[in-house]
Amino acid sequence: MSYFENFLNANKAYVNLHGTAHLPLKPKTKVAIVTCMDSRLHVAQALGLALGDAHILRNAGGRVTEDMIRSLVISQQQMGTREIVVLHHTDCGAQTFKNDEFTAYLNKELGVDVSDQDFLPFTDVEESVREDMAILRQSPLIPKDVIISGAVYDVDTGRMTQVFP
Amino acid sequence: MSYFENFLNANKAYVNLHGTAHLPLKPKTKVAIVTCMDSRLHVAQALGLALGDAHILRNAGGRVTEDMIRSLVISQQQMGTREIVVLHHTDCGAQTFKNDEFTAYLNKELGVDVSDQDFLPFTDVEESVREDMAILRQSPLIPKDVIISGAVYDVDTGRMTQVFP
């Protein structure tokens, strides 16, 4: 049983609503949102985004990794974004493990030694937002005039609360 | 002028609709969707996802990078997902540049030498989906019984079309 077919079916109904329209490649608000993959956060709805408004980047934890910076550089230098929002959330999967236990588990479960890899867990969600804002601010690939904001999303209430650097 | 305040304001209205409810950390469908940051793709709407249904992972191009695999390992081993959908799209920003020209531009614009970095551009969108499905299939960190599907999303029509490996 695969869910992929369900998504294809649901998409048929979406296509009828969507109609045909070409929106520009460059996001209207010039914002890129860096957030977590969590299933309980629907970014467009929670932030009031229309189609075409903003880039949405998501990984485990919403962490600013090398790949996140690769994506932001493309977002900024190819598609003109000038603002970044780092949005982490309560009850995050990245708060459920520690690197050493997790890599030991992966070694046992998958037979792969990834003991040197950082899976980027965190304890305090406001602190993780601050850390990632600081990584962005210090990156030579992110221009100094780019606006960087941070917030925490509450998955139980849907509320986004600002975090200051 | 920052858009962040607009998002905070829009979020106030969303909170009123959301109410308070605790959904489980583990996604209901056990699916993780790997896709692009593009502003014209609202994943939850396009695939008919409710809150809590699926992990959504997004970077420039929807490419399977080391960070994407880090996120998928957490998704699978900590939160029980067992299916992956690789979803790229038409008119992608990753089709607008070549590595050598882009890194030369970054050197000139930002004064940073990233000439050894692959920004993962592609030409043929079906081919890029197949490439990324193959990377997942070959990864020792992704169990062999995980279901992997691929598709292309048309940003003009909203239609998702399956790509076979």
Side-chain angles (χ1 to χ4, degrees):
Chain A
M1 256 302 291
S2 138
Y3 264 95
F4 179 68
E5 279 74 28
N6 290 62
F7 299 153
L8 285 176
N9 282 332
N11 177 254
K12 284 180 193 159
Y14 181 73
V15 168
N16 293 335
L17 290 168
H18 189 285
T20 299
H22 183 71
L23 291 169
L25 179 64
K26 297 185 176 184
K28 185 173 148 189
T29 65
K30 301 188 200 294
V31 181
I33 295 151
V34 172
T35 192
C36 181
M37 65 184 178
D38 195 277
S39 66
R40 298 160 299 175
L41 169 53
H42 284 182
V43 180
Q45 292 95 320
L47 275 65
L49 301 175
L51 278 182
D53 271 359
H55 281 152
I56 304 174
L57 294 81
R58 308 182 68 166
N59 66 14
R63 306 311 311 262
V64 176
T65 58
E66 206 172 286
D67 188 46
M68 203 55 105
I69 298 214
R70 173 190 72 87
S71 298
L72 288 167
V73 169
I74 295 170
S75 171
Q76 296 180 343
Q77 303 298 332
Q78 287 290 121
M79 288 173 280
T81 64
R82 304 305 292 170
E83 182 174 347
I84 302 169
V85 176
V86 176
L87 181 64
H88 294 181
H89 66 90
T90 59
D91 192 32
C92 185
Q95 294 171 306
T96 61
F97 65 91
K98 301 264 173 285
N99 271 320
D100 52 357
E101 295 158 20
F102 190 51
T103 57
Y105 173 81
L106 293 176
N107 201 339
K108 183 168 146 283
E109 196 67 20
L110 303 173
V112 186
D113 181 4
V114 282
S115 52
D116 59 341
Q117 201 183 325
D118 187 354
F119 282 84
L120 303 173
F122 60 81
T123 309
D124 183 313
V125 63
E126 292 189 22
E127 199 45 50
S128 66
V129 171
R130 277 189 208 100
E131 268 176 38
D132 284 337
M133 290 170 80
I135 292 171
L136 289 172
R137 190 46 82 206
Q138 286 152 23
S139 171
L141 287 165
I142 307 293
K144 294 307 160 213
D145 62 346
V146 165
I147 302 168
I148 299 170
S149 305
V152 170
Y153 181 83
D154 184 318
V155 293
D156 289 351
T157 64
R159 187 180 305 277
M160 184 166 93
T161 305
Q162 184 162 11
V163 174
F164 294 93
Chain B
M1 257 300 291
S2 138
Y3 264 96
F4 179 69
E5 279 74 29
N6 290 62
F7 299 153
L8 284 175
N9 282 332
N11 178 254
K12 284 180 193 158
Y14 181 73
V15 168
N16 292 336
L17 289 168
H18 190 284
T20 299
H22 183 71
L23 290 170
L25 180 63
K26 297 186 177 184
K28 186 172 147 191
T29 65
K30 301 188 201 297
V31 181
I33 295 151
V34 171
T35 192
C36 182
M37 65 184 178
D38 195 278
S39 66
R40 298 160 299 176
L41 169 54
H42 284 182
V43 180
Q45 292 94 320
L47 275 65
L49 301 174
L51 278 182
D53 271 359
H55 281 152
I56 303 174
L57 294 81
R58 308 182 68 166
N59 65 14
R63 306 311 311 262
V64 175
T65 58
E66 205 173 287
D67 188 46
M68 204 53 106
I69 297 208
R70 173 190 72 86
S71 299
L72 288 167
V73 170
I74 295 170
S75 172
Q76 295 180 343
Q77 303 298 333
Q78 287 290 119
M79 289 174 279
T81 64
R82 303 304 292 169
E83 181 174 346
I84 302 169
V85 176
V86 175
L87 181 63
H88 294 180
H89 66 91
T90 59
D91 192 34
C92 184
Q95 294 170 307
T96 61
F97 66 91
K98 301 265 173 281
N99 270 321
D100 52 356
E101 294 158 20
F102 190 50
T103 57
Y105 173 81
L106 294 176
N107 202 339
K108 183 168 147 281
E109 197 67 21
L110 303 173
V112 186
D113 181 4
V114 282
S115 52
D116 60 341
Q117 201 183 325
D118 187 354
F119 282 84
L120 303 173
F122 60 80
T123 308
D124 182 314
V125 64
E126 292 190 20
E127 199 45 50
S128 66
V129 171
R130 278 189 208 102
E131 267 176 38
D132 285 337
M133 291 169 81
I135 292 171
L136 290 172
R137 191 46 83 205
Q138 286 152 20
S139 171
L141 287 164
I142 307 294
K144 294 307 160 213
D145 61 345
V146 165
I147 302 168
I148 299 170
S149 304
V152 171
Y153 181 82
D154 184 318
V155 293
D156 289 350
T157 64
R159 186 180 304 277
M160 185 166 92
T161 305
Q162 183 162 11
V163 173
F164 294 93

